[in-house]
Amino acid sequence: MKTTRVAIAAALLATLAACSTGKDAVVQGQGTFQFTAPGGQTHIDYTSKQRQPLTEMQGDSLLEDGKQVKLSDYSGKIVVINIWGAWCGPCRTEAPQLQQVYDQTKDQGVQVMGVDVRDDKSAALDFYHNAKLDYPSIFDPPGRSLLVLQGYPRTTTPSTLVLDRQHRVAWVSLLPVEKDELLSKVKQLIAEK
């Protein structure tokens, strides 16, 4: 029994050590987005000087088998990243509003990108088609694509990040977003050029 406990403890320590010794920017946080919510705020505006770039976010496409959805595919665009799930009531209410913002601003260089978490693919696809959504979404039940969001409460669903044209995080909402509020934030970034 003692030998088994020692073996389990040794394996756990080896796993933890392996996880903490990475040298890439995502693990070390060197110049990349590090989420903070001053005073527990649920809506955070980052000034141009405070903005940090988001490293590559990518994952399997919900809509196209074998295809990857990548943040880098939208270079030079303002990107609205929405973390959602078909099982989430507020997400279902919010999604058509995201589509409306996308429809109104895509010709001005805005891209909406979903990240579908903790979901069943058929339920997610049914919802996507019924809601008549056409922006791309990563299908990522375990939330691995969200690991680039250091310090971010990845279990907060829905939540939305808005990136400027350099893919620096400009605004975060940890609550469902309203169309007018999101459109206002996006228009501010469009005006920055």
Side-chain angles (χ1 to χ4, degrees):
M1 187 74 149
K2 229 179 202 185
T3 306
T4 304
R5 286 185 194 159
V6 170
I8 291 171
L12 181 59
L13 286 173
T15 302
L16 290 173
C19 292
S20 64
T21 59
K23 296 186 186 223
D24 61 76
V26 173
V27 174
Q28 297 293 328
Q30 298 168 348
T32 59
F33 177 66
Q34 176 68 46
F35 177 76
T36 57
Q41 295 175 34
T42 54
H43 290 86
I44 301 107
D45 274 306
Y46 297 95
T47 67
S48 185
K49 290 181 182 180
Q50 293 173 319
R51 294 178 194 166
Q52 298 171 325
L54 190 59
T55 58
E56 178 70 294
M57 177 183 276
Q58 67 181 23
D60 294 333
S61 171
L62 172 65
L63 303 173
E64 298 177 60
D65 288 339
K67 183 179 178 189
Q68 291 275 299
V69 175
K70 300 177 185 177
L71 178 60
S72 61
D73 289 341
Y74 310 113
S75 179
K77 290 190 175 195
I78 295 162
V79 180
V80 176
I81 298 172
N82 179 254
I83 302 166
W84 68 283
W87 49 268
C88 162
C91 301
R92 297 173 76 84
T93 301
E94 174 183 74
Q97 296 182 61
L98 290 165
Q99 183 66 50
Q100 290 172 6
V101 169
Y102 181 49
D103 290 342
Q104 290 179 28
T105 60
K106 61 185 169 186
D107 291 339
Q108 298 170 318
V110 176
Q111 178 65 55
V112 173
M113 184 174 102
V115 181
D116 179 25
V117 295
R118 301 188 310 271
D119 217 343
D120 171 78
K121 191 164 189 175
S122 62
L125 283 169
D126 284 348
F127 168 68
Y128 223 72
H129 294 305
N130 289 338
K132 297 183 171 88
L133 306 178
D134 68 3
Y135 51 84
S137 192
I138 293 171
F139 179 66
D140 188 10
R144 287 187 192 106
S145 63
L146 303 177
L147 292 175
V148 299
L149 302 174
Q150 295 180 41
Y152 196 82
R154 291 185 293 272
T155 57
T156 302
T157 309
S159 64
T160 302
L161 299 94
V162 180
L163 313 182
D164 65 16
R165 292 181 194 277
Q166 292 80 44
H167 292 173
R168 299 175 304 162
V169 179
W171 186 71
V172 171
S173 174
L174 298 176
L175 297 173
V177 295
E178 296 288 330
K179 175 190 167 192
D180 292 341
E181 176 184 38
L182 180 59
L183 192 55
S184 172
K185 298 300 176 187
V186 166
K187 285 184 175 181
Q188 288 171 17
L189 293 175
I190 290 170
E192 284 182 7
K193 296 197 181 199

